[in-house]
Amino acid sequence: MTHHADLLDTLAGIVPGSPLALARATREAATLNIAHSDEALFEGGSSLTRTERLHLAREVARWHEDDALSAHYAAALGHDPEASARIGAALGYAEILAFRPVQATAQDVATLGTAGFSEEAIVTLAQVVAFVSFQSRALRGYRLISGRTVTGDTAVPPAGRWHTEPTTQRGESAPTAFTQDELGWAPWVAPKALAAFSPDEQETLRRFGHQDSDYFRLLARNLPVLEARTLTDKGIFYTPGGLARAERELAATVASKVNGCIYCASVHARKASQLSKANDAVQRLLEVAPGESLSAGQSARWKAIIDFSAALSATPSTAGAAHVAALRDEGLTDLELLDLVQATAFFAWANRLMLTLGEPFIPA
């Protein structure tokens, strides 16, 4: 199987023909659509200018302590043209998304509107920050699979904190604990009405089952990015072979526990529970209190997966060689490790959109 080197191969130092290069070729759908997401975000149209997008990406990569990724965006920015007057507001919001997305509020979004950002620009801004958060974790994971040295702390973070207010901005009951129950999600930025999309755009939304979702019609304010992101999601989570689907869903749940995203955790814990038939183990993970160990009481294999996914989800990431060694001791292959890295990293992206563009509620 032929795999042509892409940006992430280059930045991670993946050797052509290596086990990881072959694994990325096996996951062609994810590999191609990660690249398409990059293209849609940084080459596509938006009222958030390309210069603003690159300024944001460079800073987020720097915050995540990925020097190679930050240098890539600095080079794309070129001679560093002067940032817009509103870039300060964008960077303030980006810092919340990068470091403490669970603390985002509707007022933070409203501040962007006051600074002159349209609904589409706000969505694109969130996508840029979330995507670079994904890239940095994917790169660290790839380097670790390849046996490359990474720097920084390697502590496993505990469970994160989450929203504890009993009501949402619009007065609905809000979840204050992690759950496998189905939840709703209310946007802080107006979704685009289905009728406002062109017939072709409506067909794209219907093809993915997004037409009735406030969340996806909000993200569809930048539809090319949403389309590439959806295909990336499918390429990471719905491909045969490699890591068991239940364990990919477990990784998504762990990332959501670190980031405090009750909504994402509810969806993916439910899937992990259904697929693994290990409801008690999944529920044990959900019930871990803030500041406590996420892997306590788990089997050796799930402990290794949970510890790695939690460390990769930290900001900056703290996943290290010992975490990968523990996974290899449990028999994970390079393809399984790639699936685990990409499933975890994708939720650095997903959580940051869910937590900063709206909030969950308990359906009546």
Side-chain angles (χ1 to χ4, degrees):
M1 186 176 295
T2 302
H3 171 59
H4 299 289
D6 62 7
L7 172 65
L8 297 187
D9 284 305
T10 301
L11 296 182
I14 298 174
V15 177
S18 66
L20 179 55
L22 295 175
R24 291 202 78 213
T26 299
R27 290 291 178 252
E28 181 181 25
T31 299
L32 289 176
N33 285 297
I34 291 168
H36 291 162
S37 297
D38 190 313
E39 181 181 0
L41 271 169
F42 296 106
E43 303 301 331
S46 172
S47 58
L48 188 71
T49 69
R50 184 171 184 271
T51 295
E52 289 171 329
R53 284 174 267 168
L54 290 171
H55 268 288
L56 287 165
R58 181 186 62 182
E59 288 305 294
V60 174
R62 185 176 65 81
W63 293 337
H64 286 80
E65 298 183 1
D66 194 307
D67 293 341
L69 187 60
S70 181
H72 161 72
Y73 285 117
L77 197 53
H79 57 84
D80 198 7
E82 185 177 349
S84 65
R86 63 184 186 170
I87 195 67
L91 286 169
Y93 181 65
E95 186 175 16
I96 294 171
L97 267 72
F99 289 107
R100 49 188 190 282
V102 75
Q103 294 181 19
T105 66
Q107 183 56 50
D108 294 319
V109 174
T111 298
L112 291 175
T114 302
F117 293 94
S118 67
E119 289 92 343
E120 177 274 319
I122 292 170
V123 168
T124 300
L125 191 167
Q127 288 278 26
V128 167
V129 178
F131 178 69
V132 177
S133 300
F134 162 82
Q135 283 182 310
S136 70
R137 288 165 177 81
L139 286 168
R140 190 173 181 97
Y142 298 166
R143 292 170 186 139
L144 287 167
I145 295 171
S146 298
R148 294 186 175 275
T149 299
V150 298
T151 60
D153 186 11
T154 56
V156 177
R161 301 194 174 277
W162 54 80
H163 289 294
T164 55
E165 290 296 323
T167 56
T168 68
Q169 184 201 30
R170 61 187 194 186
E172 293 161 308
S173 294
T176 56
F178 282 81
T179 177
Q180 294 188 51
D181 294 342
E182 292 190 25
L183 300 174
W185 185 85
W188 293 331
V189 181
K192 192 171 177 177
L194 185 62
F197 292 96
S198 72
D200 286 347
E201 290 171 335
Q202 290 183 32
E203 179 54 34
T204 297
L205 290 170
R206 290 193 176 96
R207 178 158 50 93
F208 295 122
H210 292 343
Q211 70 277 10
D212 296 324
S213 165
D214 282 349
Y215 175 65
F216 288 113
R217 285 189 290 103
L218 171 57
L219 296 186
R221 286 189 174 278
N222 190 326
L223 187 56
V225 174
L226 172 59
E227 183 173 11
R229 179 187 178 277
T230 301
L231 292 169
T232 301
D233 181 358
K234 292 182 179 298
I236 290 172
F237 283 92
Y238 295 90
T239 44
L243 192 69
R245 170 78 186 286
E247 292 177 336
R248 301 184 212 190
E249 299 293 350
L250 174 66
T253 307
V254 173
S256 301
K257 281 286 292 184
V258 171
N259 290 321
C261 189
I262 287 177
Y263 183 91
C264 289
S266 73
V267 173
H268 297 280
R270 193 162 58 248
K271 290 180 181 178
S273 188
Q274 291 166 351
L275 292 165
S276 69
K277 311 301 182 188
N279 182 73
D280 289 349
V282 174
Q283 190 59 34
R284 186 178 302 117
L285 169 64
L286 288 182
E287 291 174 358
V288 174
E292 299 297 322
S293 170
L294 286 163
S295 62
Q298 300 290 348
S299 69
R301 181 181 175 94
W302 275 31
K303 182 182 189 306
I305 289 172
I306 291 168
D307 284 347
F308 175 80
S309 293
L312 195 66
S313 299
T315 304
S317 175
T318 59
H323 303 129
V324 173
L327 291 165
R328 291 196 186 277
D329 286 345
E330 291 301 319
L332 270 70
T333 65
D334 285 86
L335 180 59
E336 289 174 311
L337 288 169
L338 175 65
D339 287 337
L340 180 58
V341 165
Q342 293 189 157
T344 303
F346 188 81
F347 272 78
W349 189 350
N351 291 163
R352 281 170 172 76
L353 298 177
M354 276 285 176
L355 285 168
T356 62
L357 293 173
E359 61 186 324
F361 64 88
I362 301 171

